[in-house]
Amino acid sequence: MNDKRNDSERTFAAIRRGKIKPGTAEEFAVRVKAGALPVMKKMEGFKAYFLVAGADDTIIAVSLFTNKATAETSTQTLMPWIKENLGPLLASPTEAIDGEVVVSDLA
């Protein structure tokens, strides 16, 4: 998307969606908060992180960054940790979506 915003005003999202084993949402959240989140907070341009436990054991992670390259490579950076710590809780591989946030409004 081409617009007149400078890079410091842009936000990029790394969204991951997957299925977890039934009854593991709380443990998944505990592991993410203790392990992945501290690593993400040190990544260049880290802005925010949201973990959503949806219906039917769906888990959605939204990471926001000011740096496009970091957003695009955040999963690869964390992959060894994800495989070791979250892999046993996943029921299927995760789907990855990366892109620029074009509308946002946080109250």
Side-chain angles (χ1 to χ4, degrees):
M1 174 167 254
N2 263 337
D3 62 28
K4 299 187 185 322
R5 293 179 296 164
N6 64 40
D7 284 344
S8 67
E9 297 170 336
R10 298 171 79 184
T11 299
F12 300 91
I15 302 166
R16 307 296 177 253
R17 182 178 69 136
K19 290 275 199 175
I20 56 174
K21 294 177 182 173
T24 62
E26 188 174 326
E27 178 61 24
F28 192 94
V30 166
R31 291 182 187 194
V32 167
K33 189 174 182 179
L37 192 54
V39 173
M40 280 188 279
K41 285 182 171 184
K42 293 177 185 173
M43 291 179 179
E44 181 182 346
F46 174 81
K47 218 172 168 176
Y49 180 81
F50 304 91
L51 183 65
V52 180
D56 298 325
D57 300 308
T58 297
I59 201 89
I60 303 161
V62 180
S63 306
L64 300 178
F65 299 92
T66 59
N67 180 297
K68 181 180 181 182
T70 305
E72 291 175 345
T73 61
S74 61
T75 297
Q76 288 84 349
T77 302
L78 284 164
M79 192 53 70
W81 184 91
I82 291 169
K83 283 182 178 178
E84 182 178 334
N85 295 280
L86 300 180
L89 303 179
L90 291 171
S92 66
T94 58
E95 173 189 4
I97 303 164
D98 301 305
E100 183 173 357
V101 176
V102 293
V103 176
S104 66
D105 183 21
L106 294 174

